[in-house]
Amino acid sequence: MFSLKALSPNLIQKSCFLTFSALLLGACAQKFNDLPNTRVLKTCQEPIASYHLMGLKSGDYNDLTIPNTQVQQMVEKSLAQSGCFIQSEQISTETTNTQKNHYQLEVVFGNINTQTKQGGFWSSQTSDQAVFEVQLNFHRTNEVRIFRGKSSIQNQNSQYLVIFGEKSKLNPNQIQITIQNAINSAINEATRNLIQEVQNKDSTNYSNF
């Protein structure tokens, strides 16, 4: 039978040191969930709808205190990136077809941030989670189109003896990606819906020709 008595005191000391070092490394290593990357691809060669941003506001919850200007810039950039939308202020005489599909746009967003801790003095698990949602409301006469996007992120971290390791926390880059994913999901849905409507109108006009 293997016995610790057969080991030299130095070897036992080194073994204990390695175990303790591994414990500290585990305490300092924060586990990050892999973030998906929802992209907006250019699906229109030219704009098929115009919009005027009437308003942008946060909903009942904005735990991460995301500024309106940040969300507005991300929404406008992704709408332009799709190739299907153009702001009404940018309409020229060559894009008169977009005036037939002109919308007033309202954007509402919100986020909830929850932090939890499980365990006790010797070891504990901390979790930092955020859920972001965005809603795009396209209005025109006798018509309202609503598109929603949602994305979430969660980080976990371990602490030992309270003093080793840090509480899990989200970093700004993760928050930025999560917001963008939610916005892009809503815009992709809006793009698919609008393209389908244009295709349906084209097929109707062709059948009546």
Side-chain angles (χ1 to χ4, degrees):
M1 180 182 294
F2 180 79
S3 173
L4 287 177
K5 294 181 180 179
L7 298 177
S8 65
N10 289 338
L11 185 58
I12 294 176
Q13 187 177 17
K14 291 180 180 179
S15 177
C16 292
F17 176 77
L18 289 174
T19 302
F20 188 67
S21 299
L23 188 67
L24 291 182
L25 288 174
C28 298
Q30 184 169 195
K31 298 177 182 178
F32 298 100
N33 282 6
D34 292 334
L35 284 174
N37 195 353
T38 303
R39 300 180 180 275
V40 171
L41 301 178
K42 185 174 182 180
T43 52
C44 298
Q45 295 303 314
E46 61 180 23
I48 56 178
S50 63
Y51 72 94
H52 175 66
L53 184 60
M54 293 293 294
L56 186 148
K57 63 179 181 179
S58 60
D60 295 334
Y61 299 96
N62 187 15
D63 294 347
L64 298 175
T65 61
I66 306 299
N68 290 6
T69 52
Q70 179 181 352
V71 177
Q72 178 177 340
Q73 291 172 359
M74 297 171 77
V75 169
E76 291 176 346
K77 182 178 179 180
S78 291
L79 285 171
Q81 192 171 350
S82 72
C84 302
F85 297 91
I86 186 172
Q87 290 181 286
S88 56
E89 295 83 357
Q90 300 173 339
I91 294 178
S92 62
T93 55
E94 290 82 9
T95 57
T96 53
N97 61 316
T98 63
Q99 297 179 10
K100 300 177 182 178
N101 285 330
H102 180 69
Y103 294 91
Q104 306 292 336
L105 174 61
E106 293 180 344
V107 180
V108 182
F109 71 94
N111 57 83
I112 297 176
N113 180 221
T114 57
Q115 298 176 343
T116 60
K117 181 178 180 180
Q118 295 179 336
F121 174 81
W122 295 106
S123 67
S124 62
Q125 280 276 347
T126 61
S127 174
D128 194 358
Q129 182 177 15
V131 179
F132 187 89
E133 294 188 61
V134 64
Q135 179 172 302
L136 308 178
N137 303 323
F138 289 89
H139 302 265
R140 66 180 179 181
T141 305
N142 299 324
E143 182 183 353
V144 179
R145 293 173 180 242
I146 299 175
F147 306 98
R148 298 181 178 90
K150 182 177 181 180
S151 185
S152 62
I153 175 65
Q154 181 182 22
N155 285 345
Q156 293 180 334
N157 201 12
S158 299
Q159 287 185 298
Y160 297 94
L161 305 179
V162 179
I163 58 175
F164 299 115
E166 297 180 354
K167 292 182 179 179
S168 59
K169 57 184 178 181
L170 304 176
N171 63 53
N173 184 56
Q174 291 176 309
I175 295 174
Q176 177 86 0
I177 294 175
T178 304
I179 296 172
Q180 191 70 70
N181 284 343
I183 291 173
N184 289 353
S185 294
I187 291 177
N188 284 337
E189 183 184 354
T191 300
R192 287 191 296 267
N193 183 274
L194 187 62
I195 291 176
Q196 185 64 51
E197 181 191 33
V198 172
Q199 291 176 343
N200 291 340
K201 286 183 178 180
D202 289 344
S203 61
T204 302
N205 293 336
Y206 180 80
S207 62
N208 292 333
F209 182 72

